[in-house]
Amino acid sequence: FVCASSHAANHAVVPGQNAQAVVDGAASGDLIRFLPGDYGDLTIVNKDLTLKALGTTPAHLGNLEVNGSVVNLIKIGADTLRANDLPGDASKIIAIQASYGHIETNATEFHLAYSDVKYLVFRGKGTVTACEFDGNAQGGIAVDVHGAGTRLVIRNNLIHDYSLRPNTPTTV
């Protein structure tokens, strides 16, 4: 989705640094690299960016909100990830190799792969490939797909330990 051009800048973020300030100062097409660690909340609006963890250890955000943006997330996890289109600005997200607590997407396109997820609410078009949904027997559902025109391809995922009632685990 996001193509790096010869004019794209590279930015680095280290734990303790204000990641939101780096995102706000970046231009569309830029690459933002995160050292492993935990970071606070982050909002991306009308910017096309790639966020990538350096090394083999993923970086983790609190709440990540993406609105009207094209964003690649490579080894960047979050407690909550929300993606929404804005009037006239579609969101397109690729998220790979990370952990997410709750994902809620109403983006034009959303592709999730090789990640651990607790709960996904999906509207739009996209794919979920080779992910693990682990309910930890706390009840509820793993994937909630709804909305007119919604199309989700789910393939090669492991969904387990969800139940209709707490304390009654069911492996799906």
Side-chain angles (χ1 to χ4, degrees):
F1 284 100
V2 177
C3 296
S5 72
S6 60
H7 304 296
N10 289 308
H11 308 272
V13 183
V14 298
Q17 185 177 2
N18 185 339
Q20 187 65 58
V22 174
V23 166
D24 292 346
S28 281
D30 285 0
L31 169 64
I32 301 174
R33 296 175 182 259
F34 287 76
L35 285 173
D38 293 318
Y39 297 86
D41 298 346
L42 193 62
T43 301
I44 302 170
V45 180
N46 292 346
K47 281 194 182 174
D48 301 344
L49 300 171
T50 297
L51 279 59
K52 181 178 182 181
L54 285 169
T56 58
T57 304
H60 192 82
L61 301 170
N63 297 310
L64 173 58
E65 188 166 337
V66 178
N67 297 305
S69 302
V70 177
V71 176
N72 292 319
L73 301 167
I74 304 164
K75 296 184 194 167
I76 302 289
D79 294 333
T80 302
L81 168 58
R82 288 188 174 83
N84 297 290
D85 291 345
L86 293 176
D89 291 312
S91 283
K92 297 179 182 178
I93 312 297
I94 295 176
I96 60 172
Q97 296 179 321
S99 293
Y100 301 94
H102 181 99
I103 299 174
E104 186 171 336
T105 177
N106 194 20
T108 294
E109 286 186 49
F110 189 86
H111 303 280
L112 178 66
Y114 305 104
S115 296
D116 296 326
V117 183
K118 178 79 172 160
Y119 181 60
L120 170 65
V121 177
F122 190 89
R123 296 173 205 86
K125 293 180 175 44
T127 58
V128 177
T129 305
C131 293
E132 182 175 356
F133 291 82
D134 183 356
N136 293 320
Q138 295 176 3
I141 59 173
V143 181
D144 181 357
V145 180
H146 59 277
T150 294
R151 182 174 174 256
L152 179 62
V153 176
I154 301 173
R155 58 180 164 235
N156 299 325
N157 293 277
L158 177 59
I159 302 173
H160 62 91
D161 291 329
Y162 288 87
S163 67
L164 296 174
R165 292 178 289 295
N167 303 321
T168 311
T170 303
T171 299
V172 179

